[in-house]
DNA sequence: TCGACTAATTGAACACGTTCATTTGTGCGC
DNA sequence: GCGCACAAATGAACGTGTTCAATTAGTCGA
């Protein structure tokens, strides 16, 4: 990712803004790159100077929302034990992503296509930052485990959170009520999860899943 | 789905065969509908008489593999208790889907697009039949629960199986070793799951997830 | 055998995402 | 102020999935 000159950055921003507003007004699928270019008052070809593919817009949106989540979660993180803080994070995440659910549904498909070109091999902004929120949710909680364990647990909670977000994207029940119920259930059984989380088998199992989903643990 | 005349059925089959063989030789993405039409010795437009979209081929493949799974699972189902039978079903499923993993990865994306047109509102063949295998795996197992409970549990195991298949599709570890480890872990803890499965909370939680993923329970 | 109705098939066209050779603009050393 | 290098921007073109009005083949009753 080479440095962008001010003018270029401004153009890129204008294109991105056009795209996102069109996605909101119509939908991801029915907005055309030609429409995006037109609204940004730019030629079609130029769009590709700043976005490798149409999918890239969804990625850019997700990055932006990840930033919003980071702020929202850090600002209002309750001074509780980690299970409560975790549930709060999950709820905050869905609240932030909520308005863009329809657009975001697209990204999940891409994740499976294995087109690694669009997904930089290094941990992208979103994953790194969102994950750090979950780490800190554990690390600075009341009665937090020691640092090494907190970091590990935070990573695993991040993956669980990812699973819930995915479930929410797939959830076809009206207003995604099924996801609400799922989280409510999870909240009820959080104490049990807290106990389970301290056992080696949990670490092994969930840790393994985490490795497979987001890659082997990396240093902060 | 109107009845197809013999001639039409033969043409449809020829097109499907061309498509699947091309997917195998090259890949789903890089095979062209024009290539498919050419190999089937048919005009491009005709393809759309039998397949609503390119994605439909993957769906047709999945239906075929579901049938294969049904046969393979029924023929070799071990005469054991349901947990062992469940693990066997999962392994069989992945074995059958295995050779077509790359093509199948496409379908998962489509599932999220919410293009319900391609996915008939009634339970499609695959879901109905595969689910019935899991139901029977419980129902006719040693020490099986009563019929109502077996049916419910079978449904839930089917959804768990779906989750594992999905995980396998996403799994980026070499040779999907992470999935192997996951199943191995699951096997180790199967007794625990068996106990958990008999509790109300499990039924409520997993049942709710099942509803959200595959829709409310339907009659066989 | 014919005609007429339907099923099967064609091929040209469209809109889309994407690519690329080309042109325009911008800042800088002299 | 002049060229020069490079960034920014263009627009025409390509191949793709998809649609559709038109054409051909098949079937069956009179």
């Amino acid at each position: 990712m080479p440095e962008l000159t001010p003018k270029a950055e401004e153009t890129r921003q204008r294109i991105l803004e056009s795209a996102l507003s069109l996605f909101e007004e119509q939908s991801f699928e029915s907005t055309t790159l030609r429409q995006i270019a037109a609204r940004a008052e730019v030629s079609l070809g130029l769009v590709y100077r700043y976005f490798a593919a149409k999918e890239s817009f969804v990625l850019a949106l997700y990055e932006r929302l990840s930033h919003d989540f980071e702020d929202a979660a850090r600002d209002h993180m309750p001074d509780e034990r980690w299970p409560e803080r975790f549930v709060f994070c999950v709820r905050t995440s869905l609240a932030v992503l909520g308005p863009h659910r329809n657009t975001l549904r697209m990204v999940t498909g891409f994740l499976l296509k294995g087109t690694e070109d669009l997904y930089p091999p290094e941990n992208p902004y979103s994953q790194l930052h969102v994950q750090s929120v979950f780490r800190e949710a554990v690390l600075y909680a009341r009665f937090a485990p020691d640092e090494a364990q907190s970091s590990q647990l935070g990573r695993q909670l991040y993956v669980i959170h990812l699973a819930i977000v995915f479930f929410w994207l797939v959830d076809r029940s009206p207003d995604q009520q099924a996801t609400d119920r799922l989280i409510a259930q999870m909240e009820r059984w959080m104490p049990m999860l807290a106990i389970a989380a301290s056992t080696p088998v949990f670490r092994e199992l969930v840790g393994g899943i985490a490795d497979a989903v987001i890659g082997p643990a990396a240093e902060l």
Side-chain angles (χ1 to χ4, degrees), chain A residues 1-6 8-9:
Chain A
M1 8 218 119
E3 225 17 80
L4 246 49
T5 123
E9 184 58 44

Side-chain angles (χ1 to χ4, degrees), chain A residues 142-210:
Chain A
R142 293 193 187 176
F143 315 110
D146 66 69
E147 189 175 329
Q149 276 196 32
S150 287
S151 181
Q152 213 181 106
L153 180 57
R155 178 179 135 87
Q156 296 173 353
L157 292 179
Y158 165 71
V159 172
I160 293 175
H161 152 260
L162 234 45
I164 294 171
V165 168
F166 179 79
F167 180 80
W168 171 74
L169 287 172
V170 178
D171 186 357
R172 285 211 185 93
S173 67
D175 286 321
Q176 291 77 247
Q177 294 164 0
T179 304
D180 291 342
R181 284 197 298 272
L182 178 68
I183 296 177
Q185 284 285 3
M186 194 181 68
E187 201 168 15
R188 274 186 62 198
W189 293 89
M190 215 56 218
M192 209 172 188
L193 185 86
I195 294 168
S198 66
T199 65
V201 63
F202 177 92
R203 290 209 196 98
E204 199 181 336
L205 190 60
V206 182
I209 294 176

